[in-house]
Amino acid sequence: MLCTTNLVAVLRTRTSPAQRCVRYTLYGVKVQEPVQADQLVEIVERYNLDIWSYASLEREGLILVAPELKQVFEDEISAIGVTYRIDTDNIKEKLDLEDMLMAEAHKRSNASRSDRFGLSFDVIHRWAVVDRYLVDVANRYPRVARVINGGRSVEGRDIRYLRLSSDNFATRTKPVIVIQCMLHAREWVTLPVALWAIQELVINVTDQDLIRDIDWIILPIANPDGYEFSHTRTRMWRKNRRAGQFPSSCIGVDLNRNFDFIWGTASSSSACSDTFHGPRPFSEPEAVVTRNILNEFRSRISLFLDVHSFGSLILFGFGNRQLPPNALVLNRVGVLMAQKIDAVKWPQNRDYRVGNSAQILYTASGTCGDYAQIAIGNGLSYTYELPAHRNLNNINGFLVDPAFIRQAGFETWEGIKEAARYVVRNRL
Ligand SMILES: [Zn+2]
């Protein structure tokens, strides 16, 4: 059972979501052979545990386990030779710490608010604030910004994105770059990446070539229902909020398994799983919004970035270990981006790694990045996994230290700029 993911159980027990996280343990797990990684995933699926990061030969994994499953989990992974350590004994303390740091950051933010237009980078803004901001940007900068309503989420929220262009997308030879964030609800640190790009392309405009030579599509919150739910009820929510289909009462489809590329081959058919792929490809309106963007501009999209967290990784296709025909260029530009980010990153964060998603992370099907790669042909499609910044208070994983929000936006933009100029220079 995931930490606080089952709304029915929450209502039945009348406990707050945070209370239900009490004494959940975050384990660090190490594998010595590839087969152990697969066996570990099988155990996680069997007990419906919450994988924060997958274990590989090079990197420790992180798995969140409910108190009643701790003993059986330790026994099962020991039996297959996987070693473990306890990373965080009671994850509730870390959730409370994030709450406290965010509340303090909000207070400071409100106290120092200036008249300057734009969203601040000291807090994580809610969906309604971001949604309003997109409209405000388009109203204030009509020559470069248009707001598009791409569709509605399962719960009826608008999924808006910005089209940024010096000539309203009229020059058909200009490359188009797409930045998408928050497809997974709990990955809050990705939002500042979209907001930073908007700030630099529309408000500050210090690099004029980027808006002169390129047309941009920026979708800050691709999964608004899940995102809001992660603020109001369940911090560790990942999926959208599709209601359970009888006989299952479990809620949500993993939008990053719902795209139509080798759909259903390396994902879960169980509605209770965090990687549930849905009843069919593109069953979810949130995934359809992205598909429509890709279809509309497929011949012009040179770079597609689906931004996730965490792991400090820049990944390309495909999720079944096969490489796209342009894998060499994908790897080269991925490394260029990683080097730019690493040059300005905080020293305590690890260097970025670049590579095929299945080789350095895990096999997966129906992902947005893979579907985009097929759609845009020779263009470059990447899935970013932003850093899990570990501060002095030892917040890590999906939880966000407010001090890192500005840096996440700034440093990732350094990488994006590098790839943007590459596609212009090389007419990709
Ligand atoms: Zn993700």
Side-chain angles (χ1 to χ4, degrees):
M1 177 63 66
L2 306 182
C3 178
T4 73
T5 56
N6 189 330
L7 183 58
V8 175
V10 171
L11 295 172
R12 193 179 293 143
T13 55
R14 291 181 179 276
T15 54
S16 77
Q19 283 172 324
R20 293 191 66 245
C21 287
V22 171
R23 294 199 301 113
Y24 275 65
T25 300
L26 189 63
Y27 285 89
V29 290
K30 272 195 178 144
V31 299
Q32 272 80 40
E33 299 164 36
V35 66
Q36 291 173 329
D38 294 336
Q39 290 170 328
L40 191 59
V41 169
E42 195 270 321
I43 292 168
V44 164
E45 287 286 327
R46 184 148 26 101
Y47 293 101
N48 205 9
L49 305 174
D50 188 3
I51 286 198
W52 280 32
S53 64
Y54 285 77
S56 66
L57 293 182
E58 295 84 15
R59 284 193 181 178
E60 183 187 72
L62 287 172
I63 300 172
L64 189 64
V65 181
E68 62 274 18
L69 290 173
K70 278 167 68 173
Q71 192 59 54
V72 68
F73 174 74
E74 290 176 9
D75 292 347
E76 293 250 9
I77 65 170
S78 298
I80 60 169
V82 171
T83 55
Y84 66 86
R85 66 177 180 88
I86 291 181
D87 181 276
T88 306
D89 195 30
N90 180 2
I91 201 66
K92 167 109 174 24
E93 290 171 9
K94 293 294 186 290
L95 294 173
D96 290 346
L97 178 61
E98 186 193 47
D99 274 351
M100 190 195 77
L101 292 172
M102 283 289 173
E104 285 176 356
H106 268 285
K107 262 191 227 156
R108 283 197 302 272
S109 182
N110 289 338
S112 65
R113 182 169 288 171
S114 70
D115 291 336
R116 194 171 174 274
F117 179 75
L119 289 183
S120 65
F121 290 89
D122 46 4
V123 295
I124 297 291
H125 299 283
R126 295 283 291 274
W127 169 79
V129 172
V130 175
D131 191 57
R132 180 74 234 166
Y133 175 62
L134 299 183
V135 174
D136 289 346
V137 168
N139 286 338
R140 196 175 176 109
Y141 301 94
R143 286 192 185 170
V144 285
R146 268 185 71 192
V147 66
I148 307 289
N149 194 347
R152 286 224 162 124
S153 65
V154 166
E155 292 180 345
R157 290 185 176 86
D158 290 327
I159 303 174
R160 283 193 243 259
Y161 57 88
L162 284 180
R163 278 174 44 166
L164 308 178
S165 172
S166 57
D167 62 2
N168 194 23
F169 281 66
T171 308
R172 293 182 174 276
T173 51
K174 266 195 209 178
V176 171
I177 296 179
V178 181
I179 302 174
Q180 169 178 283
C181 298
M182 296 301 319
L183 193 63
H184 282 151
R186 62 190 175 185
E187 297 167 9
W188 290 4
V189 78
T190 67
L191 179 58
V193 171
L195 299 181
W196 194 274
I198 294 168
Q199 171 187 274
E200 294 305 299
L201 291 167
V202 182
I203 301 169
N204 293 346
V205 205
T206 44
D207 299 274
Q208 296 201 356
D209 59 313
L210 297 176
I211 194 72
R212 181 189 67 218
D213 300 337
I214 299 166
D215 290 342
W216 299 78
I217 292 173
I218 299 176
L219 170 51
I221 302 177
N223 174 12
D225 299 346
Y227 179 60
E228 279 301 290
F229 192 75
S230 75
H231 277 278
T232 57
R233 299 300 297 261
T234 299
R235 175 66 185 88
M236 288 302 145
W237 191 257
R238 166 182 165 103
K239 303 187 284 184
N240 76 348
R241 294 295 300 162
R242 168 73 67 191
Q245 304 287 311
F246 183 81
S248 174
S249 61
C250 287
I251 290 175
V253 170
D254 182 355
L255 297 174
N256 206 27
R257 301 291 183 274
N258 190 237
F259 285 71
D260 192 8
F261 178 73
I262 57 170
W263 178 86
T265 57
S267 52
S268 178
S269 55
S270 163
C272 299
S273 167
D274 242 3
T275 57
F276 176 47
H277 47 58
R280 62 186 177 281
F282 293 118
S283 57
E284 305 310 299
E286 297 89 350
V288 169
V289 169
T290 307
R291 180 189 70 181
N292 290 346
I293 291 171
L294 285 161
N295 284 347
E296 187 176 0
F297 295 104
R298 63 168 64 216
S299 63
R300 289 182 56 191
I301 295 173
S302 302
L303 182 64
F304 180 90
L305 303 174
D306 186 25
V307 186
H308 291 249
S309 78
F310 59 89
S312 300
L313 302 166
I314 296 175
L315 307 168
F316 52 84
F318 295 110
N320 60 357
R321 292 183 191 274
Q322 286 182 0
L323 293 172
N326 60 343
L328 218 55
V329 183
L330 282 162
N331 195 65
R332 175 171 156 68
V333 178
V335 169
L336 290 174
M337 288 193 283
Q339 286 172 332
K340 282 289 175 186
I341 299 173
D342 288 342
V344 296
K345 76 175 171 63
W346 283 355
Q348 63 270 44
N349 283 356
R350 59 175 34 144
D351 283 348
Y352 263 86
R353 278 188 75 202
V354 179
N356 168 266
S357 58
Q359 282 174 10
I360 67 173
L361 209 53
Y362 49 82
T363 56
S365 59
T367 67
C368 178
D370 281 359
Y371 179 84
Q373 186 61 65
I374 294 288
I376 65 180
N378 282 333
L380 308 173
S381 172
Y382 295 99
T383 301
Y384 261 75
E385 297 283 355
L386 297 191
H389 174 62
R390 190 181 277 260
N391 72 355
L392 293 174
N393 295 310
N394 203 18
I395 270 191
N396 71 342
F398 299 109
L399 305 180
V400 178
D401 177 355
F404 186 59
I405 295 170
R406 170 175 295 275
Q407 175 67 16
F410 158 72
E411 70 174 31
T412 313
W413 183 240
E414 291 298 300
I416 295 172
K417 280 193 294 188
E418 184 71 4
R421 289 186 171 124
Y422 183 96
V423 301
V424 171
R425 273 199 314 274
N426 293 277
R427 298 181 173 276
L428 274 184

